[in-house]
Amino acid sequence: MEYIKKLNNPKLVEGLLKEISYNKRPIKIMEVCGTHTMSIWKNGIKELLPQNIELISGPGCPVCVTPKSYIDKAIELSKKDNIIITTFGDMIKVPGSNSSLKREKAFGRDIRIVLSPLDSIKIAKKNPKKEVIFLGVGFETTAPIIALSIDIAEKENIKNYSILQGLKTMPNAIKTIIIDPEINIDGFIYPGHVSTIIGVKPFYDLSKEIKIPGVVAGFQYMDIIVAIYFLVKMINKKEGKVKNIYNRVVKYEGNKRALSMIDKIFTPSSSIWRGLGNIENTGLILKKKYNSYNIESKLDIKEMKSKVNKDCLCGEILKGKRKPIECKLFVKICNPSNPIGPCMISREGSCGAYYTYGKI
Ligand code: SF4
């Protein structure tokens, strides 16, 4: 706490904002991580910036980028006999094509919210006659604990535990955003949580390749102001570099133990992202040795064509092309009590953040 008190220094903020205000050109900065989005809204950072600096939210909310087809599969699974679905909380509210896990739970399906996949292992041990399926969504941040749950299941010979695979990885998804000529991002605030696991190196390589600067930043308002300050400098000097200002937590090489656990259990794969489509090398799937923990190898799941809600702009918002306010359902029809898309449900979703902290 003492550290955070020192970090949040209003005088320093004032000085940095003054420096930022000397910028003369329009600049678009994307914050990739949903926690940054929340912090930006919560601390009114957009209001502090000059009009020529625009902050755009990216695809950093794991619930938001999970495609509807995944939710539909989870719902299908929940309807089968002797199944317990375990999941992080936000997932149960996300609408699928015809239902949601929350609705299915109300109908009596065994769907349980857990704080960790390790809780799902405990549930599997207590219910040996049932298959316990953990909804394995998230980024590099969640991957190590899911990998650990598989490792434990294997070592303890727990056969009734599996995951519905949906893990995603970040660097290549960012590259896809850059390739889109309609988006035109000048700089990135790279995801702090993901960086604690994968380190700074993948972002150094990425920025070198795409020639766009990035800053790995923490989540205090001061972290974000400093990140913007450095980005504006680098953008004006045309430097495609990466700066790590979150080195109190993020190491160049990342978290070696977590990375080796991921590497033990998973292998890179392509992955389908809501809004971005199927992207090579942006997913993690179980290695062949562990494929018996993949529920899709254990049970037949009916493939169904997911229904698209054309009015929900969540996919476009995740690419930074549209803003929540541009969605005709925003507030009037879609709000936290009646969420239509995942961007309104997740605590890290752009629509939810705009609804909670924006001027409506
Ligand atoms: Fe989708 Fe609701 Fe956001 Fe509109 S306001 S884009 S319907 S989540």
Side-chain angles (χ1 to χ4, degrees):
M1 281 316 272
E2 218 22 63
Y3 181 83
I4 289 170
K5 263 189 214 158
K6 267 190 212 160
L7 188 71
N8 291 338
N9 176 341
K11 272 222 158 100
L12 195 53
V13 174
E14 227 172 273
L16 289 173
L17 286 171
K18 199 169 173 193
E19 290 285 327
I20 292 170
S21 74
Y22 297 140
N23 168 62
K24 294 281 175 272
R25 53 164 289 192
I27 283 178
K28 272 191 194 174
I29 294 171
M30 176 175 272
E31 87 276 358
V32 181
C33 176
T35 315
H36 281 138
T37 303
M38 283 307 283
S39 183
I40 286 165
W41 278 106
K42 202 169 150 186
N43 291 301
I45 290 175
K46 285 181 195 240
E47 317 268 313
L48 297 175
L49 296 176
Q51 281 194 344
N52 60 3
I53 298 181
E54 193 182 353
L55 297 182
I56 296 169
S57 304
C61 151
V63 171
C64 307
V65 294
T66 299
K68 200 179 248 183
S69 55
Y70 183 96
I71 310 292
D72 288 338
K73 263 186 204 168
I75 291 169
E76 262 322 289
L77 282 167
S78 76
K79 293 178 184 170
K80 291 185 183 284
D81 292 336
N82 296 318
I83 292 284
I84 302 174
I85 300 283
T86 58
T87 176
F88 295 134
D90 283 349
M91 284 293 287
I92 82 158
K93 297 181 224 153
V94 183
S97 295
N98 301 310
S99 183
S100 68
L101 289 165
K102 191 176 174 190
R103 192 174 140 94
E104 294 304 323
K105 189 172 164 60
F107 285 137
R109 320 282 182 209
D110 198 345
I111 298 163
R112 305 185 192 184
I113 293 172
V114 290
L115 294 176
S116 155
L118 302 187
D119 296 336
S120 310
I121 292 279
K122 287 182 199 154
I123 296 171
K125 283 182 181 171
K126 275 192 195 154
N127 297 273
K129 295 211 170 108
K130 294 194 172 181
E131 180 71 23
V132 176
I133 305 165
F134 178 72
L135 303 187
V137 299
F139 296 123
E140 290 94 332
T141 340
T142 340
I145 192 78
I146 299 178
L148 181 64
S149 75
I150 301 291
D151 194 41
I152 292 172
E154 213 246 343
K155 283 183 179 144
E156 297 189 14
N157 202 23
I158 300 166
K159 302 276 187 215
N160 63 325
Y161 173 67
S162 49
I163 59 169
L164 181 61
Q165 307 194 97
L167 280 170
K168 303 203 181 323
T169 54
M170 201 45 105
N172 259 6
I174 297 174
K175 212 153 79 182
T176 306
I177 291 172
I178 280 304
I179 292 165
D180 190 327
E182 277 181 50
I183 303 178
N184 278 327
I185 301 294
D186 299 296
F188 287 101
I189 300 178
Y190 283 136
H193 297 317
V194 165
S195 307
T196 59
I197 303 296
I198 65 172
V200 185
K201 188 179 179 309
F203 294 117
Y204 269 112
D205 297 342
L206 179 68
S207 271
K208 217 166 145 192
E209 190 186 337
I210 63 179
K211 297 186 175 48
I212 291 176
V215 175
V216 174
F219 303 96
Q220 297 298 310
Y221 77 85
M222 193 66 198
D223 287 314
I224 295 167
I225 301 281
V226 175
I228 295 167
Y229 164 77
F230 279 122
L231 279 169
V232 169
K233 276 195 143 192
M234 288 194 280
I235 292 164
N236 279 308
K237 285 188 186 166
K238 296 191 171 38
E239 289 177 343
K241 290 184 184 167
V242 172
K243 219 173 169 43
N244 177 15
I245 59 163
Y246 198 25
N247 53 10
R248 61 189 190 272
V249 176
V250 174
K251 304 285 167 265
Y252 181 78
E253 68 285 359
N255 180 328
K256 287 185 184 165
R257 275 184 75 191
L259 286 173
S260 85
M261 183 49 78
I262 294 176
D263 190 48
K264 179 176 177 182
I265 306 292
F266 294 116
T267 187
S269 70
S270 61
S271 182
I272 300 173
W273 294 59
R274 192 185 290 254
L276 301 177
N278 193 16
I279 316 173
E280 281 304 315
N281 201 14
T282 60
L284 290 170
I285 53 168
L286 291 161
K287 283 187 171 167
K288 227 175 179 177
K289 180 180 173 196
Y290 299 100
N291 201 38
S292 57
Y293 294 99
N294 167 15
I295 190 60
E296 290 181 86
S297 77
K298 281 186 180 175
L299 290 179
D300 251 359
I301 314 169
K302 201 169 68 190
E303 278 295 336
M304 50 189 264
K305 207 167 163 16
S306 295
K307 283 185 201 159
V308 180
N309 181 338
K310 291 201 184 86
D311 291 332
C312 174
L313 303 182
C314 214
E316 296 291 285
I317 290 169
L318 291 165
K319 284 190 276 190
K321 283 186 173 178
R322 307 290 284 268
K323 298 200 173 88
I325 200 86
E326 294 173 50
C327 171
K328 63 180 178 193
L329 307 184
F330 183 62
V331 181
K332 281 174 244 149
I333 295 175
C334 180
N335 49 61
S337 324
N338 180 42
I340 306 293
C343 299
M344 182 59 84
I345 290 163
S346 170
R347 276 168 294 138
E348 299 187 342
S350 296
C351 300
Y354 200 124
Y355 183 93
T356 312
Y357 299 109
K359 280 185 196 153
I360 298 169

